[in-house]
Amino acid sequence: MMKWRMIGAAAVMTAMLVSVSAAGDLPDLKFEKYELPNGLDVILHVDHSIPMASVNVWYHVGSKNEKAGRTGFAHLFEHMMFQGSEHYQDDFFQAIEKIGGVNNGSTSEDRTNYWEDVPSNYLEKMLWLEADRMGYLLPAMTQESLDNQRDVVKNERRQGLDNQPYAKSYELLLSLMYPEDHPYYHSVIGSMEDLSAASLEDVQEFFKLYYTPNNASLCVTGDFDPARVKVWVEKYFGSIPPGAPIDRLENWVPKLNEVKRASAEDNVSLPRLYMEWHSPAFYAPGDAEFDLLANILSSGKTSRLYKTLVYDKQIAQDVSAVQSSSEISSIFDITVTAAEGHSLEEIEREVDAVLKELLSGGITKNELEQAKTNWETGFVRGLERIGGFGGRADKLNQYNTYLGDPGKLGWDMGRYTNATSDDIMRYARQYLDLNGRAILYIYPQGDLVVQGDSSAMITEPAAAPEPSFAPPSIQKARLSNGMELLLVEDHKLPLVQVNLVVKSGWASDPSNRPGAASLTAELLDEGTKSMNALRISEETKKLGARLGTGSSFDNSSVSLNVLKKNLDPALKLMSDVILNPTFPNEELERQRQNYLGRIQQEARQPVTAAFKTFFRELYGADHPYGQPYTGSGTESSLQAISRVDLENYYKANYLPNNTAAVVVGDITLDEAKAKLEKAFSGWKAGNVVPVDVKNAPAIRKTKICIVDKPGAPQSVIVTGNPGLRRNDPDYLSTTVMNNALGGQFTSRINMNLREDKGYTYGSFSFITGRQGQGAFIGYAQVQSQFTKESLFEFMKEYRDVLGTRPLTDTELDNSKSNLVKGFPQDFQSYSGIAGQLSSMITFDLPSDEWITYVNRIDGVDLNLALKAAKDHIHPDAMLIVVVGDREKIEPGLRALNIGEIVYLNPAEL
């Protein structure tokens, strides 16, 4: 039976404030809902726990709203919505990524959604962007952008449907399950033919009908003031005109009166069986019961299908049962991949036997309770995040779009917790008709033959002769203003890379202004005496150039990559950025807020918190290398930094006699020198005050610093001690030793903690390269319950390599081979070569660094490797930082008895 209802534009604003107190352990989910006069539903949910906000928009349109011959429009529009709008004519992702946010979108049969999770100080901008693409997308839409995204979607179809194992089953099953006039008959991504036939006018009409405020739901969650958000919502969305009423199909669950079969071949290794039945629509009676039934059939080793097919009889590789809920009709699906040597006919018989037993005997009380618990837990987990796919904003919009009420969380969970065995069996017997279903067999591709025999696989091929490689020669010169010039000439491409390397970085920050160097570099291209930030960006794009700024502990830089023919105007632009920055107050304030938001986020990121703590404790808070390794400074220093501070840092450090020009590409030394002289003739030398970066304080005995993160499922472990400078003669021998110890995937540390013990996804050690004294560091994120064991293994590996189990000949040879054979990879790109030259400048490396590299690596023997380990790894005098759940991990760490334990407040970071 078909039911239709009419959706029109609202005429008045309404509002309600609701606290959803759900059943079980589900927390309250307070929200306010109101409606703008143009029909836009607005939902607000406040959570001040972190300075983040999420904007989430659902449009009640999906592939089921498409006309025959015009399939794929809803999904195509999802792509078009990221291409820019009338007042923001740029890629949408750029606007989000540059402020530290994340965003995405998705399309289903029934709805299209978009979301942005950003630092809360950018919330107004996100609302502006969403309003602009809701109300003003069409003026920015061109045939070129349509063609571009149409090709992207076609490639997505090729990748997702045409080039994935078993993917052809998706459209084959749709054709078996639905009649041709059913809205779910075609796939969400559409057909190649329909995508090719879509005209600009077709797409525009689709937008005008469905991308309207009265067909949308806007949800804002996170850290914000509701009163201010209401003003912004009215300001940006209120003037968008409503659309025409929409005829909406409410319910259409087809019925199969026979078994419809199909079979197909695919590029797979094992055959697979699909069985499908029609089932109740999303949120309709019976929908939750089928979710619970799917859990009983295939979730866990004791589930009915898994235990019978995979565990006991071992005739299947895997099995799943899923209730795929959709708005007007759902699908209950069972998928089984056959084990090697077993047929799909055998699999089908065994599945039918399990289903017959279920339908005749029912389910047990224990099965029902386990399924309920799984679903209840899933509801709670789904409330952890304010945004993203499946977060609170998504959930509130889902309820509002499909049920007209965002306050359905408790009701929704109640569908599962209140279900009975009788309910489940009633719906199972009503819908799971073994004589009314679709069955699809996917077989490994046939009609293919082998050529030759397999004996060639027995012997591993020997390596071909070692290729010869000579690093490119470095040419040098000096400009009249004192700036060094290093050049690598390479004419294979008409490109030129120019790096200006200033030999001052974060370590040169005034002691009370950490973050000044980073902000100075950040604002170089945000405004000059003749151009603002937008003009600089526009000019860069016109030249097809890449112009960037950056900074680190020991240097600051401006980089340029451009076609040779555009080098002159590009150098003029680059020189303007270097010579004439104005550090506009408005840009400083924008970056200040960006940095502050970053710091707040970092405090809650365990890996970042662990490394910030480690470097601060290793060097001391007042040491140049003790400041945050992200270069963002501290909250207090950022609040204090003024434009004058940036100007002072710039005047003291951005001097040609404190800078080297690195040039790589299609240019000679004479050309480069002449062009740089012209571009930077106005840059005058000055007095450079060198920075004295002292060594880190000596560690007398091992100390463990615990940063408490209650409830953390993993612990972040950072171990280490002061190391050596990048230009130390022992650096390469230490690199060879560390490569075998913890530098490679196959290193001792990783093979122990990951491959052997299974404590972590990855564990490594490395040496920080610094102008001053660096550090030796070992690092891993481990399962919380294995924190003690993981730290024990770290310390064991350190002690072993010092003498009880030194590196073997094989380990040493493998490490050296890895470094030597990987050496040419660093010279693939102009930017890569320029980066290496920049390191030579920054760390005062000799000019023959590249030429002697291979011989110096080859010269490292077991004695030198052992000496490097003994000189630079000190397990009895080591700093250890662990970020994790103190209550869980502290007893184990104390039991190790390897050093003093101190506690640090996360707020101190």
Side-chain angles (χ1 to χ4, degrees):
M1 178 181 180
M2 300 184 195
K3 298 179 181 177
W4 295 85
R5 57 190 172 93
M6 189 74 73
I7 306 296
V12 296
M13 175 180 287
T14 60
M16 58 180 176
L17 183 63
V18 181
S19 173
V20 181
S21 182
D25 296 327
L26 214 56
D28 289 351
L29 190 60
K30 296 180 180 179
F31 69 90
E32 179 179 0
K33 175 187 173 180
Y34 62 98
E35 183 177 309
L36 294 185
N38 61 8
L40 177 67
D41 281 349
V42 183
I43 306 161
L44 307 179
H45 166 66
V46 178
D47 183 347
H48 294 297
S49 60
I50 60 173
M52 296 290 295
S54 180
V55 175
N56 189 303
V57 180
W58 277 44
Y59 293 93
H60 201 169
V61 57
S63 61
K64 77 170 185 292
N65 300 98
E66 296 159 350
K67 299 177 182 178
R70 291 295 182 266
T71 62
F73 273 32
H75 180 248
L76 178 60
F77 242 104
E78 179 204 323
H79 284 253
M80 295 299 298
M81 289 281 277
F82 290 93
Q83 298 305 298
S85 44
E86 182 176 4
H87 305 102
Y88 184 80
Q89 297 185 19
D90 205 345
D91 187 285
F92 200 84
F93 284 95
Q94 292 185 13
I96 313 302
E97 291 176 351
K98 68 182 180 182
I99 62 171
V102 291
N103 67 307
N104 215 324
S106 68
T107 308
S108 75
E109 295 87 348
D110 308 306
R111 97 292 176 271
T112 310
N113 76 326
Y114 306 88
W115 55 265
E116 303 84 43
D117 295 345
V118 298
S120 51
N121 55 313
Y122 289 100
L123 177 55
E124 182 182 8
K125 181 176 181 179
M126 294 306 102
L127 292 170
W128 174 76
L129 286 169
E130 282 292 1
D132 201 46
R133 62 180 178 180
M134 177 186 288
Y136 310 97
L137 182 77
L138 293 184
M141 187 184 298
T142 64
Q143 187 66 49
E144 180 182 0
S145 63
L146 173 61
D147 293 342
N148 173 266
Q149 289 307 303
R150 176 166 36 210
D151 289 342
V152 170
V153 171
K154 286 181 178 180
N155 284 328
E156 183 179 351
R157 179 186 169 88
R158 295 183 187 104
Q159 179 177 312
L161 283 182
D162 302 340
N163 197 37
Q164 291 295 321
Y166 304 107
K168 64 166 57 178
S169 64
Y170 173 44
E171 291 184 325
L172 287 171
L173 285 165
L174 290 177
S175 66
L176 290 175
M177 292 297 292
Y178 293 105
E180 291 187 10
D181 58 343
H182 194 283
Y184 292 165
Y185 177 79
H186 63 270
S187 65
V188 172
I189 203 167
S191 71
M192 287 285 198
E193 294 77 12
D194 289 356
L195 289 170
S196 298
S199 69
L200 186 61
E201 292 73 22
D202 290 334
V203 175
Q204 290 172 338
E205 287 304 313
F206 189 86
F207 178 88
K208 291 175 183 177
L209 180 59
Y210 293 108
Y211 277 74
T212 61
N214 50 308
N215 194 45
S217 181
L218 166 68
C219 184
V220 183
T221 61
D223 178 34
F224 62 88
D225 176 4
R228 294 185 69 189
V229 168
K230 288 180 181 178
V231 172
W232 294 338
V233 169
E234 176 65 24
K235 178 180 178 180
Y236 299 122
F237 290 88
S239 61
I240 301 174
I246 298 171
D247 294 336
R248 199 175 303 283
L249 184 61
E250 190 172 86
N251 183 272
W252 185 2
V253 181
K255 181 174 177 59
L256 296 182
N257 296 313
E258 60 181 346
V259 177
K260 300 181 72 173
R261 292 182 176 271
S263 63
E265 292 182 346
D266 203 354
N267 186 22
V268 297
S269 57
L270 294 172
R272 179 175 286 181
L273 164 71
Y274 296 85
M275 287 185 182
E276 289 193 347
W277 293 263
H278 291 292
S279 57
F282 207 4
Y283 297 120
D287 175 48
E289 284 77 4
F290 271 104
D291 276 328
L292 292 167
L293 180 60
N295 187 284
I296 290 167
L297 283 173
S298 69
S299 180
K301 292 181 180 178
T302 60
S303 61
R304 297 208 179 185
L305 286 172
Y306 187 96
K307 186 174 185 300
T308 300
L309 278 67
V310 180
Y311 193 83
D312 288 343
K313 298 188 176 182
Q314 299 181 27
I315 62 174
Q317 187 81 8
D318 54 59
V319 59
S320 68
V322 177
Q323 165 74 347
S324 297
S325 301
S326 298
E327 189 176 16
I328 64 173
S329 176
S330 301
I331 294 290
F332 187 79
D333 175 275
I334 293 174
T335 302
V336 186
T337 305
E340 186 73 32
H342 294 274
S343 69
L344 294 181
E345 290 79 4
E346 178 186 11
I347 297 290
E348 182 180 339
R349 288 193 298 270
E350 293 296 335
V351 171
D352 282 354
V354 171
L355 292 177
K356 288 175 181 177
E357 181 181 2
L358 172 81
L359 294 172
S360 62
I363 62 174
T364 67
K365 180 180 179 181
N366 187 52
E367 286 176 322
L368 177 60
E369 290 307 313
Q370 287 183 357
K372 285 184 176 182
T373 301
N374 285 339
W375 274 92
E376 184 176 3
T377 305
F379 269 89
V380 176
R381 289 175 181 148
L383 299 180
E384 290 182 306
R385 297 175 295 117
I386 61 169
F389 288 124
R392 279 177 253 165
D394 225 15
K395 185 66 71 174
L396 290 166
N397 258 344
Q398 179 173 296
Y399 292 140
N400 192 59
T401 300
Y402 292 147
L403 301 171
D405 179 6
K408 286 291 190 178
L409 180 66
W411 171 86
D412 190 15
M413 194 175 84
R415 295 192 302 142
Y416 298 86
T417 57
N418 297 328
T420 67
S421 298
D422 289 341
D423 293 333
I424 292 174
M425 293 314 304
R426 181 172 71 256
Y427 290 112
R429 289 166 181 146
Q430 178 181 346
Y431 287 92
L432 297 187
D433 181 2
L434 300 187
N435 296 315
R437 56 180 167 167
I439 298 176
L440 173 65
Y441 286 1
I442 297 291
Y443 293 105
Q445 193 169 9
D447 299 324
L448 302 178
V449 298
V450 298
Q451 184 171 345
D453 59 67
S454 61
S455 62
M457 299 301 299
I458 297 174
T459 304
E460 179 181 348
E466 288 290 337
S468 61
F469 172 74
S473 60
I474 303 171
Q475 304 176 58
K476 292 186 176 183
R478 188 174 292 274
L479 304 188
S480 58
N481 60 10
M483 184 162 60
E484 296 177 78
L485 168 59
L486 280 72
L487 180 138
V488 168
E489 190 174 336
D490 188 330
H491 299 285
K492 68 176 179 287
L493 292 173
L495 280 174
V496 179
Q497 174 81 31
V498 181
N499 289 4
L500 294 184
V501 184
V502 180
K503 302 173 190 178
S504 303
W506 308 337
S508 300
D509 276 332
S511 59
N512 63 343
R513 292 292 190 273
S518 181
L519 279 170
T520 300
E522 194 91 54
L523 266 70
L524 287 175
D525 61 352
E526 297 291 345
T528 69
K529 294 176 182 177
S530 60
M531 292 186 289
N532 61 20
L534 296 179
R535 175 77 183 281
I536 294 171
S537 176
E538 182 182 0
E539 292 300 318
T540 303
K541 286 184 178 181
K542 284 182 179 178
L543 297 170
R546 290 205 305 254
L547 179 67
T549 66
S551 59
S552 66
F553 275 108
D554 298 309
N555 73 28
S556 302
S557 63
V558 179
S559 61
L560 172 71
N561 183 282
V562 67
L563 289 170
K564 172 71 176 293
K565 66 180 182 180
N566 293 329
L567 180 58
D568 288 339
L571 282 175
K572 182 179 179 181
L573 178 63
M574 186 184 204
S575 67
D576 192 35
V577 166
I578 284 283
L579 272 61
N580 303 305
T582 56
F583 308 108
N585 280 320
E586 64 273 16
E587 298 296 344
L588 170 59
E589 188 58 35
R590 182 174 65 85
Q591 291 296 341
R592 188 200 316 275
Q593 295 306 317
N594 191 9
Y595 276 38
L596 288 170
R598 187 193 307 172
I599 289 174
Q600 291 174 339
Q601 293 179 64
E602 289 169 355
R604 290 173 170 82
Q605 296 168 350
V607 173
T608 307
F611 277 100
K612 288 174 75 172
T613 303
F614 178 84
F615 287 121
R616 185 192 63 194
E617 295 297 311
L618 183 72
Y619 291 104
D622 295 330
H623 191 281
Y625 292 166
Q627 66 167 292
Y629 78 101
T630 56
S632 55
T634 65
E635 288 194 37
S636 59
S637 69
L638 285 173
Q639 295 289 6
I641 288 174
S642 67
R643 179 183 177 185
V644 172
D645 293 317
L646 304 190
E647 290 174 338
N648 289 339
Y649 184 93
Y650 171 82
K651 291 175 183 177
N653 296 283
Y654 281 75
L655 300 166
N657 52 316
N658 191 43
T659 302
V662 171
V663 181
V664 180
D666 185 20
I667 191 169
T668 66
L669 182 63
D670 289 342
E671 283 182 294
K673 185 176 180 181
K675 292 179 182 296
L676 290 173
E677 286 279 13
K678 179 180 179 181
F680 295 99
S681 59
W683 199 9
K684 305 303 181 184
N687 182 36
V688 179
V689 179
V691 177
D692 180 20
V693 181
K694 298 178 181 178
N695 284 348
I699 299 176
R700 303 301 178 188
K701 58 183 180 180
T702 294
K703 178 174 74 171
I704 301 176
C705 301
I706 298 178
V707 179
D708 189 20
K709 186 172 176 58
Q714 286 189 317
S715 297
V716 179
I717 299 175
V718 180
T719 67
N721 51 249
L724 68 172
R725 295 172 183 261
R726 174 60 184 87
N727 60 3
D728 191 297
D730 287 348
Y731 190 85
L732 278 191
S733 60
T734 306
T735 298
V736 172
M737 176 275 299
N738 179 72
N739 205 34
L741 173 64
Q744 303 178 90
F745 182 90
T746 55
S747 64
R748 286 186 175 186
I749 291 174
N750 194 53
M751 296 304 287
N752 180 350
L753 273 73
R754 172 186 159 130
E755 298 297 295
D756 182 31
K757 304 297 191 307
Y759 296 157
T760 178
Y761 184 70
S763 51
F764 303 95
S765 62
F766 57 93
I767 312 160
T768 60
R770 301 276 171 85
Q771 173 71 30
Q773 186 181 28
F776 169 80
I777 296 175
Y779 154 78
Q781 295 184 72
V782 304
Q783 298 177 59
S784 183
Q785 65 267 35
F786 297 121
T787 304
K788 165 193 161 187
E789 293 80 359
S790 298
L791 183 53
F792 174 85
E793 295 299 332
F794 263 114
M795 305 307 285
K796 176 179 178 297
E797 292 293 350
Y798 295 155
R799 290 191 172 92
D800 283 355
V801 80
L802 292 180
T804 58
R805 189 166 62 94
L807 295 184
T808 65
D809 287 323
T810 299
E811 287 176 314
L812 182 68
D813 289 344
N814 287 342
S815 174
K816 291 160 63 173
S817 177
N818 171 263
L819 293 169
V820 169
K821 292 180 179 178
F823 182 53
Q825 297 181 28
D826 297 332
F827 297 87
Q828 294 183 78
S829 66
Y830 292 171
S831 61
I833 297 171
Q836 290 192 77
L837 287 170
S838 299
S839 294
M840 291 173 64
I841 294 294
T842 301
F843 302 124
D844 294 327
L845 301 179
S847 57
D848 65 351
E849 173 76 8
W850 296 348
I851 298 172
T852 63
Y853 177 84
V854 171
N855 287 336
R856 286 182 291 138
I857 291 291
D858 284 339
V860 178
D861 58 18
L862 289 174
N863 289 330
L864 284 175
L866 179 60
K867 180 180 183 299
K870 289 182 176 180
D871 287 347
H872 303 297
I873 302 177
H874 309 297
D876 294 322
M878 189 166 275
L879 173 65
I880 300 168
V881 173
V882 184
V883 177
D885 189 330
R886 175 183 170 184
E887 184 178 354
K888 293 180 181 178
I889 66 178
E890 182 182 355
L893 295 177
R894 287 196 175 279
L896 290 175
N897 195 30
I898 59 175
E900 174 193 9
I901 293 181
V902 299
Y903 312 104
L904 299 176
N905 187 335
E908 298 173 358
L909 304 179

